């Protein structure tokens, strides 16, 4: 059984149709890349999967582990192991990153009926994860994403992903804003988490990320639906030829 | 439905169940007859075994009060109060002066236990060790139940340091010179309608004197509890920090849930002499009334600190979450040269609560400085007003003030207002004022929820971040308590 099954998904916002009969499966342990032109609906798909409420799902279904999650609140989905690394991470003034991580992690654990992590155990995990991602522990004392550089925000997202150990991680352009070294560090962070039990949906515009995170499968999203699926070489082809032919196909 | 809308709906659904301190203690009490008259004032005074001068003082206040009018300038709206419909004195039956805690009615001890307030010194001293390895800090507590103080802890240890911490009723008898000298010296008997009423009928409260050069060895704290029906609470607190001394004081308040409105009109006076510092923190959690605005405490409070000496410092920190009506402006008179006043406030209103609160910084001495940080959070159908006055007297050369007022709206049925008055009669005065009003952002809430927080937890987290600058001003122990309180007061029914 696939970990994620998206069936004929139609999504509107303010009456404007954005996803248009999108179907897609992600297998357990699979790394699936999603590529597609600006405005094709990639972030929308990510938000709908995570349960953002401004979107109207007019048709279709999303199954996570065989269960429809359409009616579930975002926090319930998070506790089930769905994680979204935001394309534009949000700033929360006055809330220390460390405190945020801990509060969120414990909320998820509680929802799953697991006990809270002890302070030493939590600190140990954060420090280890931060060190591997080359994040200065001092940064974790600062408010969530406030005053972080573009690259720091993205690395902080990967840190959260590492801490939460999700079953499905959706990375929405986590590579944008990262310099070459940081890209490698973040990609390594993702690769360390790869396991037969964990799946990834990696949204990106660039082949260079996929050099580091080698996908099992590449989907092309255009005008709100998947228009082509292929192996990792499809990304190279797209890089060479662009999306022109798919935009026509979808129309 | 957008996340913020849902939060709003949940917050709107808040009802009385959310108030965790609304239980009633069943004890017998002794009351003065209902209503107010000279006889009642005499009754209160005699109950407290007061000397004649104190009675005279009260009677003068009472006569003055009869000529005064209730103020109407605040942005609060409530039915006319019938002052003859309240009890002005209520005491748990049994001796009001107690030798040891064992003489306190077990029901009352139970009440404080339920409120999480430790009255038994031995328990604190036994050093309960918490999960995180810390031991609770030792805090001396004075507990006031309706009109009388029922227990004061750590008296002996404080005495060793020379600190006087006792119910004011006792201080009037035991330290009449100090009381005579300072009572009414910051808030004159004639100050305002509610303060004058308090002067006539105040029943109990705390008295603190810290002698020169002494740093009070522990936090002092008073917990006020209104239990009786239709009973007004008029506590009076007087804190004197003599030259070069330091004291940190905290008050907490709760009341049972009642359909009718209870009246609370306190007066707090602080005096800081040369180089002395007083830190006064409040966690106010009186019953706010139900979602429709039925019941709740009317809180009309006069709090004022006098930085009487040079280089003295007074700071007010308040976390206001309760009361149906709040009318409260803790102020500083910056009389001594180079003195400093601070006001840090978090005021949360929900349901139908109405808050009109702020501060006054009155710069009289040279090079006096003041700082105001106010965070107002309005949810439900509440109205939340910050009202502040900063003045610099003609002679207050070099006066400086910094004011920052931020308001956060949760939903669109509530209101936040900022009413700053600035008056500089000295051209060298520098006043800075910043104010912002924002709505809790849907994007922020969604981000938090994606990470596993429920709508309520997300709202509380964002609000806690919004008020962090002020929370940091509270003593550690109380910061944690305040943080929980903030979450509770924003809680809706889970769903
Ligand atoms: N709140 C909104 N209101 C109106 N239109 C929206 C809203 N959110 C997204 N859209 C529109 O939906 C379309 C898809 O947007 P989306 O952000 O999903 O694209 P994307 O594939 O992630 O693009 P990019 O590669 O630029 O990140 C765009 O045309 C966008 O303008
Ligand atoms: Mg996008």
């Amino acid at each position: 059984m696939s970990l994620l099954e998206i069936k004929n998904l139609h999504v509107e916002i303010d009456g404007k149709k954005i996803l248009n009969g999108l179907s897609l499966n992600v297998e357990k342990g699979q790394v699936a890349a999603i590529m597609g032109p600006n405005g094709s609906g990639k972030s929308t798909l990510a938000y709908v999967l995570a349960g953002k409420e401004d979107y109207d799902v007019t048709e279709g279904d999303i199954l996570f582990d065989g269960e429809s999650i359409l009616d579930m609140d975002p926090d319930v989905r998070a506790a089930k192991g769905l994680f979204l690394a935001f394309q534009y991470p949000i700033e929360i003034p006055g809330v220390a990153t460390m405190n945020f991580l801990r509060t969120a992690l414990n909320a998820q654990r509680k929802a799953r009926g697991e006990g809270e992590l002890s302070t030493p155990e939590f600190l140990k995990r954060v420090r280890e994860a931060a060190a591997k991602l080359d994040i200065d522990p001092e940064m974790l004392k600062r408010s969530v994403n406030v005053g972080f550089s573009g690259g720091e925000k993205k690395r902080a997202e990967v840190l959260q992903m590492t801490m939460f150990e999700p079953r499905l991680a959706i990375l929405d352009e986590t590579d944008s804003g990262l310099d070459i070294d940081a890209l490698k560090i973040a990609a390594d962070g993702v690769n360390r988490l790869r396991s037969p039990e964990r799946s990834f949906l990696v949204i990106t515009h660039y082949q260079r990320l996929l050099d580091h995170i080698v996908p099992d499968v590449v989907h092309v999203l255009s005008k709100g639906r998947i228009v082509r699926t292929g192996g990792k070489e499809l990304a190279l082809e797209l890089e060479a030829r662009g999306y022109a032919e798919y935009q026509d196909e979808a129309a | 439905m957008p996340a913020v809308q849902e939060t709003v709906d949940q917050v709107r659904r808040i009802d009385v169940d959310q108030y965790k301190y609304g239980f009633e203690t069943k004890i017998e009490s002794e009351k003065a007859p209902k209503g107010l008259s000279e006889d009642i004032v005499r009754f209160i005074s005699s109950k407290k075994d007061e000397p004649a001068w104190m009675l005279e003082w009260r009677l003068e206040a009472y006569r003055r009060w009869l000529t005064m009018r209730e103020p109407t300038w605040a942005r609060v709206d409530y039915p006319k109060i019938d002052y003859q419909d309240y009890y002005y004195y209520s005491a748990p039956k049994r001796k009001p002066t107690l030798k040891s805690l064992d003489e306190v009615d077990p029901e009352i001890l139970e009440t404080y236990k339920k409120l999480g307030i430790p009255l038994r010194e031995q328990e604190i001293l036994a050093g309960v060790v918490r999960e995180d390895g810390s031991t609770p800090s030792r805090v001396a507590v004075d507990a006031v139940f309706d009109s009388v103080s029922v227990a004061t802890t750590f008296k002996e240890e404080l005495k060793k340091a020379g600190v006087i911490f006792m119910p004011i009723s006792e201080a009037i008898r035991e330290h009449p010179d100090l009381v005579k000298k300072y009572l009414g010296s910051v808030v004159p008997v004639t100050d305002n309608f509610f303060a004058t009423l308090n002067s006539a009928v105040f029943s109990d409260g705390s008295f603190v004197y810290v002698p020169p050069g002494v740093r009070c060895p522990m936090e002092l704290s008073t917990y006020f509890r209104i239990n009786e029906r239709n009973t007004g609470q008029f506590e009076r607190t007087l804190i004197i920090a003599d030259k070069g001394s330091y004291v940190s004081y905290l008050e907490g308040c709760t009341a049972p849930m009642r359909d009718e409105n209870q009246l609370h009109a306190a007066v707090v006076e602080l005096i800081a002499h040369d180089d002395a510092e007083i830190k006064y923190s409040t966690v106010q959690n009186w019953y706010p009334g139900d979602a429709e605005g039925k019941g709740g405490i009317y809180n009309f409070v006069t709090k004022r600190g006098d930085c009487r000496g040079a280089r003295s410092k007074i700071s007010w920190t308040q976390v206001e979450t309760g009361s149906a009506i709040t009318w409260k402006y803790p102020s500083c008179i910056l009389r001594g040269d180079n003195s400093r006043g601070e006001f840090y406030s978090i005021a949360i209103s929900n349901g139908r609560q109405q808050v009109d609160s702020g501060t006054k910084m009155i710069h009289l001495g040279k090079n006096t400085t003041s700082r105001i940080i106010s965070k107002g959070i309005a949810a439900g159908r509440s109205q939340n007003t910050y009202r502040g006055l900063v003045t610099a007297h003609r002679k207050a050369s070099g006066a400086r003030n910094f004011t920052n007022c931020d308001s956060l709206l949760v939903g669109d049925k509530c209101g936040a207002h900022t009413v700053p008055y600035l008056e500089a009669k000295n051209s060298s005065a520098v006043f800075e004022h910043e104010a912002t009003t924002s709505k809790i952002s849907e994007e922020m809430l969604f981000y938090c929820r994606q990470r596993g927080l429920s709508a309520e937890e997300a709202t509380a987290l964002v609000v806690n971040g919004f008020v962090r600058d002020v929370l940091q001003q509270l003593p550690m122990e109380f910061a944690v308590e305040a943080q929980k309180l903030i979450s509770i007061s924003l809680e809706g029914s889970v769903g």
Side-chain angles (χ1 to χ4, degrees), chain B residues 274-295:
Chain B
D274 290 354
D275 301 295
E277 179 177 349
I278 302 175
K279 195 172 157 59
Y280 191 106
S281 315
T282 306
V283 176
Q284 187 269 108
N285 186 23
W286 295 119
Y287 177 52
D290 71 8
E292 296 311 311
K294 199 166 167 51

Side-chain angles (χ1 to χ4, degrees), chain A residues 47 50-54 73-75 78 82-84 86 90-95 100 103-104 107-108 145 157 160 164, chain B residues 1-4 6 132 441-444 446-455 457 461-462 464-466 468 483 495:
Chain A
Y47 281 143
K52 198 167 187 216
E53 292 163 43
D54 334 61
D73 282 339
D75 43 310
L82 193 148
F83 178 86
L84 167 61
F86 282 54
I90 307 294
E91 302 183 357
I92 311 176
V95 178
F100 180 76
T103 310
Q108 290 191 23
N145 292 321
E157 293 289 282
Q160 292 191 42
F164 297 152
Chain B
M1 189 165 59
V4 74
E6 186 181 329
D132 59 3
S441 123
E442 201 179 305
E443 300 297 324
M444 253 187 229
F446 175 63
Y447 186 74
C448 296
R449 296 194 69 187
Q450 204 301 302
R451 300 299 138 98
L453 301 182
S454 68
E457 289 167 332
L461 188 84
V462 171
N464 267 307
F466 175 72
R468 186 165 80 154
Q483 202 162 346

Side-chain angles (χ1 to χ4, degrees), chain A residues 13-14 16-19 36-45 47 52 54-55 87-88 172-173 203 205 221:
Chain A
I13 184 159
D14 297 333
K16 182 181 166 192
K17 191 133 200 176
I18 299 174
L19 297 186
N38 294 131
S40 55
K42 302 182 297 296
S43 293
T44 302
L45 173 63
Y47 281 143
K52 198 167 187 216
D54 334 61
Y55 299 94
Q87 183 173 0
Y88 305 105
D172 192 357
E173 296 197 24
I203 298 171
H205 286 294
L221 177 56

Side-chain angles (χ1 to χ4, degrees), chain A residues 54-65:
Chain A
D54 334 61
Y55 299 94
D56 293 325
V57 175
T58 53
E59 213 185 313
D61 204 351
I62 302 170
L63 306 184
F64 187 67
D65 224 2

